[in-house]
Amino acid sequence: MTSTLRTSTLKTLTVPLDVDSASGGLPSFLVRDDVLCWSRRENGLVGFGELARFTATGPDRFLEADIWWRHLILEAEITDALEIPGTGPVAFGSFAFSKTSAHVSRMILPEIVVGIRDGRAWLTQLTLDDAELTEEGALAAFRRWVPSGNPAPADPAPGSLAAADPAADAHGGTAVGQSLSGRQASLASGSLSETDWMQAVADGVAEIRTGKLEKLVLARDVVATIPDGVRASGVLRELAARYRECWTYGVDGLVGATPEMLIQVEGRTAQARVLAGTLDRRDAEGVDGSPMAYAERVLAGSEKQRHEHEIAIQSLTTQLAPFSEAMNAHSEPFILELPNVWHLASDVKAELADIEGHVPTCLALINALHPTAAVCGTPTLVAGALIRRLEHMDRGPYAGPVGWLDGAGNGEWGIALRGAVIEDSHTVRLYAGCGVVEGSLPEAELAETWAKFRPMLESLGIRS
C-alpha cells in the first residue's frame, strides 16, 4: 500500500458552474486525454490533475483504500453549497480484478472536478495547501485546465481505419486493416489464440460437468496496434455518444463503457444492475418480425441464458443481504438493448442498514460484492482458481470495479467491461469475456466475445 498524500488537511470548495450539457454526454471540451471520466447520458463527473494517489495490491486493496479515503476526509474542510452526490471531495478509482494480480489498484484525488447532474453543473476545487479557496480562484483554476472552455483539438474521425476482419485471427494470426494515411492497423491475439481459448472454454465446461462449479466466466484479450495513434479523449467521446445507456469511464489509461453497475450508493440507498445472458444484435439481421421480438424469443426464452442470469442475481443479492435492511429485485429480467448486443438484465435496490452505528461505505460494499458471479462464476473460489489456470493472463483492471466516491459516502462503481487499457500511444489491449455454463459451446462463446469487443473497436475506428 502506498500513498502520495501529504500530511496537510484537505480543503475543498464547490461552486455552481455555467456549462451546457450535450446530447452525446458531457460537453466535449471537458473530455481530455488525461481526464478522469465517468458519464452516462447527460450526467457525469470529470477530474483534472492529480492532488494525491493511493495504490495497493492484494486481497485487502478495497479495505485499505477505504481507510485511506476516510482518513483523508475525516478532518477535511469542505465548503459545498450544493450538497448533492458528486459535490465536495471526490476520488476516482480503478481496482484489479484479482486479489492475486500484479496490477496496481489506484484511487486518484484530482485538483478540480466538474460535475453535471440533472441539468445542474458545478466545479469543485481541492487543495492540500493552506491557501484560502475562493470562487474566483476556483474558476481561474478551471480556466487553466480548460482555457476559455474551448474544445480540445479534433480527434481522428470515427471509422478512419478501414475494416479489420476478426475472422482472420481464427488460428492466432493477425488481422490487418488499412488506414486512410496508407499505414496499417493490426489486431492480434493476446494471451491465447482463438483456437486455444475455445479449448479453454471446452475445458471449463468439462469442469462444470464434474459438479465442481455451476458457472465460469472466461475472458480473452486482443491487441490493437494503431500507427496513426490513439487518444483517450476520442475514445471516450465515441463511447459516450454511441453507448448512452452505459457508464463511460476513464481512469489512468483504462477506458470503456460498461453496461453493468456493481454498486451505486446515494445516502442509505444502494442500487446495482446485473447482466448475464447475451445475444449479438447481428444475429437478428434478416429475421422476420421485430428485432426486439427476436431477442425476447431467443434470449429471454433460453433456459441456458436464464440459468446464467439467475446465478448472477443470486450471487449479488446473497452478498448484499447482510448490509441491507430491505431489498427488492425484478422478479423477471428485462432485455437491455445496446447498439451491439442485447442482455438479460435485472436491477436490484437495497436500503442499507446501520452496522455498528454506520452505514457501510461504497468500498466496504465492493469488498463484499466483488467478484460477482457475472464476472467470475460460482462458487467464487473454485471459479477464480480455474480462471487463473485457463485464461493464461492477468486480467489487470478488466472486470474490476471502476468509478468514483465522494466525502458524503455517495458513489458509483461499475464493472470495467467493454473496455481496454491504452498501453502506449499506438497500442491498446482490449478485453472481453463470456459466462460459461454446462450448455456452452466454444464457437458460440468466441462469437460473443467479438460482439463485446465491438464498442471498443468502433471507438478506435476499426470495423468488425
Side-chain angles (χ1 to χ4, degrees):
M1 175 180 69
T2 61
S3 170
T4 60
L5 180 65
R6 294 170 289 178
T7 57
S8 303
T9 299
L10 173 66
K11 295 195 294 186
T12 72
L13 171 66
T14 300
V15 297
L17 190 64
D18 184 16
V19 171
D20 292 328
S21 186
S23 61
L26 294 173
S28 62
F29 67 83
L30 292 177
V31 183
R32 300 158 41 112
D33 291 327
D34 56 353
V35 79
L36 298 160
C37 179
W38 180 268
S39 72
R40 182 173 184 255
R41 298 176 182 166
E42 284 70 55
N43 299 327
L45 295 170
V46 290
F48 299 86
E50 182 175 319
L51 199 62
R53 172 182 293 241
F54 167 87
T55 60
T57 57
D60 297 325
R61 60 200 184 283
F62 304 118
L63 297 180
E64 290 173 359
D66 193 27
I67 292 169
W68 176 81
W69 181 242
R70 285 190 286 169
H71 175 75
L72 183 63
I73 64 173
L74 182 62
E75 297 181 355
E77 298 176 12
I78 302 169
T79 304
D80 180 3
L82 282 74
E83 294 187 343
I84 58 178
T87 61
V90 168
F92 294 79
S94 164
F95 289 85
F97 169 80
S98 174
K99 63 185 179 183
T100 66
S101 175
H103 178 79
V104 175
S105 300
R106 72 281 317 260
M107 295 270 290
I108 301 172
L109 185 72
E111 294 181 33
I112 64 168
V113 177
V114 177
I116 299 175
R117 180 185 175 96
D118 300 329
R120 302 174 70 185
W122 65 88
L123 165 67
T124 299
Q125 185 179 14
L126 305 92
T127 184
L128 292 169
D129 297 329
D130 295 329
E132 181 183 1
L133 295 179
T134 65
E135 182 171 353
E136 294 76 12
L139 292 172
F142 172 67
R143 287 191 291 269
R144 285 195 297 272
W145 283 104
V146 189
S148 302
N150 290 328
D155 294 295
S160 61
L161 300 178
D165 181 10
D169 192 42
H171 300 289
T174 299
V176 178
Q178 193 75 21
S179 71
L180 292 182
S181 65
R183 290 181 289 176
Q184 292 182 322
S186 64
L187 198 60
S189 291
S191 301
L192 292 176
S193 69
E194 292 190 344
T195 300
D196 289 340
W197 189 81
M198 286 191 289
Q199 183 59 53
V201 173
D203 293 343
V205 171
E207 292 287 337
I208 291 170
R209 287 174 177 165
T210 68
K212 294 177 183 177
L213 70 167
E214 278 190 274
K215 177 185 175 180
L216 173 69
V217 179
L218 287 177
R220 56 186 289 256
D221 60 337
V222 296
V223 180
T225 302
I226 304 174
D228 286 335
V230 60
R231 295 181 56 187
S233 56
V235 171
L236 293 171
R237 290 178 195 145
E238 283 294 306
L239 291 171
R242 293 174 188 263
Y243 290 83
R244 287 174 43 78
E245 294 306 307
C246 297
W247 290 268
T248 298
Y249 57 87
V251 178
D252 248 18
L254 172 68
V255 294
T258 181
E260 188 153 2
M261 176 64 71
L262 177 62
I263 198 72
Q264 176 191 51
V265 176
E266 290 189 13
R268 298 179 65 103
T269 301
Q271 298 184 77
R273 171 162 288 181
V274 181
L275 308 180
T278 304
L279 180 63
D280 190 342
R281 292 193 60 164
R282 289 182 177 177
D283 291 350
E285 294 175 0
V287 175
D288 292 337
S290 72
M292 184 57 74
Y294 173 80
E296 290 173 351
R297 182 173 71 254
V298 176
L299 189 59
S302 165
E303 183 178 346
K304 170 196 175 284
Q305 302 277 23
R306 291 182 69 93
H307 175 60
E308 182 183 339
H309 189 80
E310 287 166 5
I311 292 172
I313 282 289
Q314 185 177 3
S315 165
L316 182 124
T317 55
T318 299
Q319 296 300 106
L320 188 58
F323 300 93
S324 309
E325 58 185 29
M327 186 188 309
N328 63 66
H330 290 132
S331 57
E332 286 287 320
F334 64 93
I335 293 180
L336 176 65
E337 185 176 9
L338 300 177
N340 60 324
V341 296
W342 289 287
H343 286 297
L344 284 182
S346 292
D347 288 335
V348 177
K349 187 174 183 179
E351 291 302 312
L352 298 174
D354 278 331
I355 299 175
E356 298 180 353
H358 300 282
V359 174
T361 65
C362 285
L363 293 172
L365 292 172
I366 290 171
N367 185 62
L369 296 174
H370 178 81
T372 67
V375 292
C376 179
T378 187
T380 302
L381 291 178
V382 177
L386 198 53
I387 285 170
R388 289 190 290 274
R389 178 159 68 87
L390 295 179
E391 285 185 351
H392 296 278
M393 70 174 181
D394 185 338
R395 289 186 178 184
Y398 167 73
V402 61
W404 63 271
L405 77 169
D406 67 17
N410 307 301
E412 293 181 292
W413 292 88
I415 300 175
L417 305 174
R418 313 301 144 81
V421 174
I422 300 175
E423 296 185 337
D424 59 46
S425 59
H426 299 284
T427 309
V428 184
R429 188 174 300 272
L430 292 71
Y431 296 87
C434 296
V436 177
V437 292
E438 187 173 354
S440 294
L441 300 174
E443 295 82 1
E445 302 302 333
L446 180 67
E448 185 176 315
T449 64
W450 280 115
K452 291 176 176 178
F453 281 132
R454 203 173 299 144
M456 280 304 309
L457 291 172
E458 290 171 346
S459 72
L460 293 169
I462 302 173
R463 296 195 304 273
S464 63

